[in-house]
Each structure stands twice: as structure tokens, then as C-alpha cells.
Amino acid sequence: MLERYRNPAIRDSLARLCAGASDRIPTFLLPVVRAEPAVGGPVELSAAVVASWARYAEGIDGLGATIQIVDARRERLMSAARRQHDDPTAFIEDTELFGNLAEQESFVGP
């Protein structure tokens, strides 16, 4: 899968990939995240995806420029993402999206 993102022939924009993430990540990724600890599986890559989503949801890129967040839950996500600098689990404390993942050290740790 990672090879797809290294392929210059694939011209999918980061903005399109991130648009509507609050519909896709809870539907496709989080069920895997919840199942992995139960079977002793790794969650590091899934945690990295969620952490990347949280960083994106701050709405500011690495150079300080504004990023236009396109998501039905935009304000809620951005508010939580902005709090994560003082409260590292703020983004994943939204139980509607993440259930109790903020309480699971097997996910929070990575």
C-alpha cells in the first residue's frame, strides 16, 4: 500500500484524501484498531494514522499556513485538535467517533 503513495503517476491530493475523514476513519480504520489489542496485534500504524488526522485537523500546516478542513464535523474536530497540545488525548476523547480508545493504553501509548 505505501508504494501507491510513492508512485508519481498517482496524483491524489492530500486534501482529497483527508476530506470527510470523520466518516471514513471511524468506519474503516477504527474497527481494526479495536480488534487488534484483543488478539495481541499491533496498533502503531493505526495510531499514526489517527495522530496524523489529529494534526491535520488543527488546520495549520508545518509552516503556519491555514489548511482548509473539509469535514462535516469540522468545528468539533478542530476544537479537539487544538486542545491536544495541552491534553494529548483530547482528539480521541470524542466517544461518538472513538469509543473508549482514549482510555486504552495499548492505543494511546503508541
Side-chain angles (χ1 to χ4, degrees):
M1 181 172 104
L2 293 178
E3 290 76 26
R4 176 183 186 273
Y5 297 102
R6 291 185 194 121
N7 184 341
I10 304 295
R11 300 202 184 274
D12 216 348
S13 71
L14 181 60
R16 195 201 70 76
L17 291 172
C18 293
S22 69
D23 289 328
R24 291 191 313 274
I25 288 177
T27 301
F28 299 110
L29 179 65
L30 295 183
V32 173
V33 170
R34 289 184 190 95
E36 286 301 311
V39 297
V43 297
E44 289 80 7
L45 290 177
S46 298
V49 169
V50 172
S52 297
W53 178 27
R55 175 62 184 90
Y56 164 79
E58 290 178 14
I60 305 292
D61 72 14
L63 299 175
T66 301
I67 300 171
Q68 181 60 36
I69 306 300
V70 178
D71 198 291
R73 295 176 176 96
R74 178 182 188 273
E75 296 304 320
R76 189 165 116 197
L77 294 171
M78 290 182 76
S79 175
R82 289 183 191 126
R83 292 191 317 270
Q84 69 188 346
H85 294 282
D86 295 322
D87 178 6
T89 60
F91 191 75
I92 61 172
E93 288 173 7
D94 183 331
T95 57
E96 182 184 332
L97 292 176
F98 297 99
N100 69 345
L101 282 180
E103 300 167 14
Q104 296 183 22
E105 182 56 33
S106 61
F107 182 77
V108 173

